Coordinates of all heavy atoms in Angstrom, one line a residue:
Chain N
G124 N 25.9 -19.2 -5.8 CA 26.1 -18.2 -6.9 C 25.6 -16.9 -6.4 O 26.3 -15.8 -6.6
Q127 N 28.1 -15.4 -4.1 CA 29.3 -14.9 -4.8 C 29.0 -13.5 -5.5 O 29.8 -12.6 -5.5 CB 29.6 -15.9 -6.0 CG 30.2 -17.1 -5.5 CD 30.1 -18.3 -6.4 OE1 30.0 -19.4 -6.0 NE2 30.0 -18.1 -7.7
S147 N 33.7 -21.5 -2.7 CA 32.3 -21.5 -3.3 C 32.3 -21.5 -4.8 O 31.5 -22.2 -5.4 CB 31.6 -20.2 -2.8 OG 30.4 -20.0 -3.3
V148 N 33.2 -20.8 -5.4 CA 33.2 -20.8 -6.9 C 33.6 -22.3 -7.4 O 33.0 -22.7 -8.4 CB 34.2 -19.8 -7.5 CG1 34.3 -19.9 -9.0 CG2 33.8 -18.4 -7.2
Y170 N 14.6 -42.0 -19.5 CA 13.2 -41.8 -19.7 C 12.9 -41.9 -21.2 O 11.9 -42.6 -21.6 CB 12.8 -40.5 -19.2 CG 11.3 -40.3 -19.2 CD1 10.5 -41.0 -18.3 CD2 10.7 -39.3 -20.1 CE1 9.1 -40.9 -18.4 CE2 9.3 -39.2 -20.1 CZ 8.5 -39.9 -19.3 OH 7.2 -39.8 -19.3
P181 N 17.0 -51.9 -21.0 CA 17.9 -53.0 -20.8 C 19.0 -52.6 -19.8 O 19.4 -51.4 -19.8 CB 18.6 -53.2 -22.2 CG 18.4 -51.9 -22.9 CD 17.2 -51.2 -22.3
A193 N 27.9 -42.5 -9.4 CA 27.9 -41.0 -9.6 C 27.6 -40.3 -8.3 O 28.3 -39.4 -7.9 CB 26.9 -40.6 -10.7
V204 N 35.7 -30.4 -1.5 CA 35.7 -28.9 -1.9 C 35.4 -28.1 -0.7 O 36.1 -27.1 -0.3 CB 34.8 -28.6 -3.1 CG1 34.6 -27.1 -3.2 CG2 35.3 -29.3 -4.3
G221 N 44.9 -30.2 -6.0 CA 44.2 -30.3 -4.7 C 44.2 -31.8 -4.3 O 44.9 -32.6 -4.9
F225 N 38.9 -35.0 -4.7 CA 38.1 -34.2 -5.5 C 38.1 -34.8 -7.0 O 37.1 -35.0 -7.6 CB 38.7 -32.8 -5.5 CG 38.0 -31.8 -6.5 CD1 36.7 -31.6 -6.6 CD2 38.8 -31.2 -7.5 CE1 36.1 -30.8 -7.5 CE2 38.2 -30.3 -8.4 CZ 36.9 -30.1 -8.4
W250 N 16.5 -52.4 -29.9 CA 15.2 -51.9 -30.6 C 15.4 -52.1 -32.1 O 14.4 -52.6 -32.8 CB 15.0 -50.4 -30.3 CG 13.7 -49.9 -30.8 CD1 12.5 -50.0 -30.2 CD2 13.4 -49.4 -32.1 NE1 11.5 -49.5 -31.0 CE2 12.0 -49.1 -32.2 CE3 14.2 -49.1 -33.2 CZ2 11.4 -48.5 -33.3 CZ3 13.6 -48.5 -34.3 CH2 12.2 -48.2 -34.4
F264 N 17.2 -41.3 -31.3 CA 18.3 -41.0 -32.1 C 19.2 -39.9 -31.6 O 20.4 -40.0 -31.5 CB 17.8 -40.7 -33.5 CG 18.9 -40.5 -34.6 CD1 19.5 -41.6 -35.1 CD2 19.3 -39.2 -34.9 CE1 20.5 -41.5 -36.1 CE2 20.3 -39.1 -35.9 CZ 20.9 -40.2 -36.4
W275 N 33.2 -39.3 -26.5 CA 34.3 -38.6 -27.1 C 34.7 -37.4 -26.3 O 35.9 -37.2 -26.0 CB 33.9 -38.0 -28.5 CG 34.0 -39.0 -29.6 CD1 32.9 -39.7 -30.1 CD2 35.1 -39.4 -30.3 NE1 33.4 -40.5 -31.1 CE2 34.7 -40.4 -31.3 CE3 36.5 -39.1 -30.3 CZ2 35.6 -41.0 -32.1 CZ3 37.4 -39.7 -31.1 CH2 36.9 -40.7 -32.0
L284 N 43.1 -36.2 -16.4 CA 43.0 -36.6 -15.0 C 43.9 -37.8 -14.8 O 44.6 -37.9 -13.8 CB 41.5 -36.9 -14.6 CG 40.6 -35.7 -14.4 CD1 39.2 -36.1 -14.1 CD2 41.1 -34.9 -13.2
P290 N 48.2 -38.6 -10.9 CA 49.6 -38.9 -10.4 C 50.2 -37.8 -9.5 O 50.8 -38.0 -8.5 CB 50.4 -39.1 -11.7 CG 49.4 -39.5 -12.7 CD 48.1 -38.8 -12.3
F308 N 42.3 -30.4 -21.7 CA 41.0 -29.9 -21.2 C 40.2 -29.2 -22.3 O 39.0 -29.3 -22.3 CB 41.3 -29.0 -20.0 CG 40.1 -28.7 -19.2 CD1 39.6 -29.7 -18.3 CD2 39.3 -27.5 -19.3 CE1 38.5 -29.5 -17.5 CE2 38.2 -27.3 -18.5 CZ 37.8 -28.3 -17.7
K333 N 4.5 -30.8 -30.3 CA 3.3 -31.4 -29.9 C 2.5 -30.6 -28.9 O 1.3 -30.4 -29.0 CB 3.5 -32.9 -29.4 CG 2.3 -33.6 -29.0 CD 2.7 -35.0 -28.6 CE 1.4 -35.7 -28.1 NZ 0.6 -36.2 -29.2
S341 N 10.2 -31.2 -40.0 CA 10.9 -32.2 -40.8 C 11.7 -33.1 -39.9 O 12.6 -32.5 -39.2 CB 11.8 -31.5 -41.8 OG 12.8 -32.3 -42.3
R405 N -1.0 -21.8 -36.9 CA -2.0 -21.7 -38.0 C -3.1 -22.6 -37.7 O -4.3 -22.3 -38.0 CB -1.4 -21.8 -39.4 CG -0.3 -20.8 -39.7 CD -0.2 -20.4 -41.2 NE 0.9 -19.6 -41.4 CZ 0.9 -18.2 -41.3 NH1 -0.3 -17.6 -40.9 NH2 1.9 -17.5 -41.5
K410 N -2.8 -15.8 -37.9 CA -2.7 -15.2 -39.2 C -1.5 -14.3 -39.4 O -0.9 -14.0 -38.4 CB -4.0 -14.4 -39.4 CG -5.3 -15.2 -39.3 CD -6.1 -15.1 -40.6 CE -7.0 -16.2 -40.9 NZ -7.5 -17.0 -39.7
M454 N 39.6 -8.9 -26.7 CA 39.0 -7.8 -25.9 C 38.3 -8.4 -24.6 O 38.3 -7.8 -23.5 CB 37.8 -7.1 -26.6 CG 38.2 -6.1 -27.6 SD 39.0 -4.6 -26.9 CE 37.5 -3.9 -26.1
I455 N 37.8 -9.6 -24.7 CA 36.9 -10.1 -23.7 C 37.4 -11.4 -23.0 O 36.8 -11.8 -22.1 CB 35.5 -10.2 -24.2 CG1 35.4 -10.9 -25.5 CG2 34.8 -8.9 -24.3 CD1 35.4 -12.4 -25.5
V461 N 32.6 -13.3 -20.4 CA 32.5 -14.8 -20.6 C 31.5 -15.4 -19.6 O 30.6 -16.2 -20.0 CB 33.9 -15.4 -20.5 CG1 33.8 -16.9 -20.6 CG2 34.8 -14.9 -21.6
I468 N 23.4 -18.4 -21.9 CA 23.1 -19.6 -22.8 C 22.9 -20.8 -22.0 O 21.9 -21.5 -22.2 CB 24.3 -19.8 -23.8 CG1 24.5 -18.6 -24.7 CG2 24.1 -21.1 -24.5 CD1 24.2 -18.9 -26.1
V508 N 13.7 -13.3 -16.2 CA 14.0 -11.9 -15.8 C 15.3 -11.9 -15.0 O 16.2 -11.0 -15.2 CB 12.8 -11.3 -15.0 CG1 13.2 -10.0 -14.3 CG2 11.6 -11.2 -15.8
L522 N 33.2 -5.8 -21.0 CA 33.8 -4.9 -22.0 C 34.7 -3.8 -21.3 O 35.7 -3.4 -21.8 CB 32.7 -4.2 -22.7 CG 32.0 -5.1 -23.7 CD1 30.9 -4.3 -24.5 CD2 33.0 -5.7 -24.8
W602 N 29.4 -41.8 -38.9 CA 29.6 -40.5 -38.2 C 30.7 -40.6 -37.2 O 31.5 -39.7 -37.0 CB 28.3 -39.9 -37.6 CG 27.3 -39.9 -38.7 CD1 26.1 -40.6 -38.6 CD2 27.3 -39.2 -39.9 NE1 25.4 -40.4 -39.8 CE2 26.1 -39.5 -40.6 CE3 28.2 -38.4 -40.6 CZ2 25.8 -39.0 -41.8 CZ3 27.9 -37.9 -41.8 CH2 26.7 -38.2 -42.5

Side-chain angles (χ1 to χ4, degrees):
Chain N
Q127 286 157 211
S147 179
V148 175
Y170 187 69
V204 168
F225 172 57
W250 187 89
F264 184 79
W275 279 100
L284 284 176
F308 197 76
K333 183 175 175 81
S341 163
R405 296 213 188 276
K410 300 238 155 24
M454 282 292 290
I455 46 85
V461 175
I468 296 245
V508 171
L522 289 178
W602 307 117

